[in-house]
Amino acid sequence: DVQPGSMCQPCSSSSTDPGSPKALPSYCCWPGVYCCSEDISSFVEQNHSSGCWADTPAAVHSLAMRGWNLTGSFSKPVMDSWALLSQHGLHSLDLSSNAITGSIPRSIGRLKRMRSLNLNLNRLTGPLPEEMSELATLEHFYASFNSLSTPPGSTQPLAGRFCKYSTTRLYSLILRANSFTGTVNMSHCEGLGLLDVQDNRFYGHLPIGITNQGLISLRATNNMFNTSIPEALWRLPQLATLEMANNALTGTLSPFMGTVNNLVNLRLGNNSLRGTIPGNVTTNSQMLLLELYDNPLLQGTLPDVSKMVGIRTLDLHNTSLSGSIPEALGTLPYLERVDISMTQMRCCANQSQADALAAHGIHRLLPTFLRFNN
């Protein structure tokens, strides 16, 4: 049983009861250690957001050791200690921005109550152990900027690691800048809101499906995905960010692109997309960024942009777009950057039209090499 230790003011209870603050155990005063309050009246519910339980009023619920210059690997004594703490309520562990080496041990599966595990910016290697699937309450997992890899003989490094016991629990999966290769499918994690697999070597189909109805952000830039963008993706009502630049995507842009009302960031540059830009894409007044550069097979004209009043960046360079540069570009109040170099777009048919554009301020946005036809 937890017994109160020495009294120290920073971690005394904030009880509303009259009298002096109640003492918490001395370990609750250690740097990076966060305990449940001894005043348990607010923590009687099993699923309270604090992760505290009525029978463990002074339990450690979080360890925050970000940027502590930690070195070495996950030893058995350390994992045993964390497993013990997990039994009594430890649900958040932040080890980011350290120099931890070695692999993630199979004993990670003993942290049964873990909700948030942050391993970003370390020097971890090897595959994700299958025991990750035992973290039944895991909501957020971060392991970006390591050297995690695919198991030998496998082409599915994430298969069976997540959402084994609950398809709706996991919300954030952030695995940017590792050494994963192979295919990835997270469509079974129906509660997923944020998925980041940028800067790996994933290929094949995109990692999400129509079942990911709560998905807000998919970041998968700098991989080798070599498929068309499924129409199911444009039917995800919460989607706000789609970043798939620097892949090998093929096919045409779906007319359903313009039906995602919450879409604000769309990065599809440097792929092999073809066809035309659907007209309804440029009717989204909330869009901040539209990048379709380095898709030489994109052709046709730029649709009317007058309703894109929130746009800040429009990058269409190195495409086969043609036609006149729309006058409405000069009226967009927040536009900061536009790149239409290496396209077949032209400014105007004659000098009078050029003067009309300049009156709207478009002269500040035009590439200097454009020439007016007299």
Side-chain angles (χ1 to χ4, degrees), residues 203-206 224-230 244 248-251 271 273:
Y203 55 80
H205 294 286
L206 300 193
M224 299 183 294
F225 289 107
N226 53 347
T227 184
S228 59
I229 302 175
M244 294 290 303
L249 297 177
T250 59
N271 282 286
L273 299 170

Side-chain angles (χ1 to χ4, degrees), residues 254-281:
S254 169
F256 291 104
M257 285 176 61
T259 64
V260 188
N261 295 327
N262 293 315
L263 192 62
V264 294
N265 297 305
L266 181 58
R267 286 179 161 150
L268 297 175
N270 194 20
N271 282 286
S272 297
L273 299 170
R274 53 185 169 79
T276 60
I277 300 176
N280 57 3
V281 171

Side-chain angles (χ1 to χ4, degrees), residues 6 114 173 175 239 259 264 276 297 365:
S6 60
M114 193 59 58
L173 182 58
L175 298 173
L239 188 65
T259 64
V264 294
T276 60
L297 298 179
L365 304 173

Side-chain angles (χ1 to χ4, degrees), residues 163-176:
C163 305
K164 177 180 178 180
Y165 296 101
S166 172
T167 61
T168 59
R169 192 89 188 207
L170 185 66
Y171 182 81
S172 306
L173 182 58
I174 313 298
L175 298 173
R176 181 179 182 180

Side-chain angles (χ1 to χ4, degrees), residues 286-302:
Q286 298 188 77
M287 187 169 290
L288 303 177
L289 183 148
L290 177 60
E291 292 182 348
L292 298 172
Y293 62 86
D294 288 338
N295 283 287
L297 298 179
L298 276 182
Q299 55 189 359
T301 59
L302 179 63

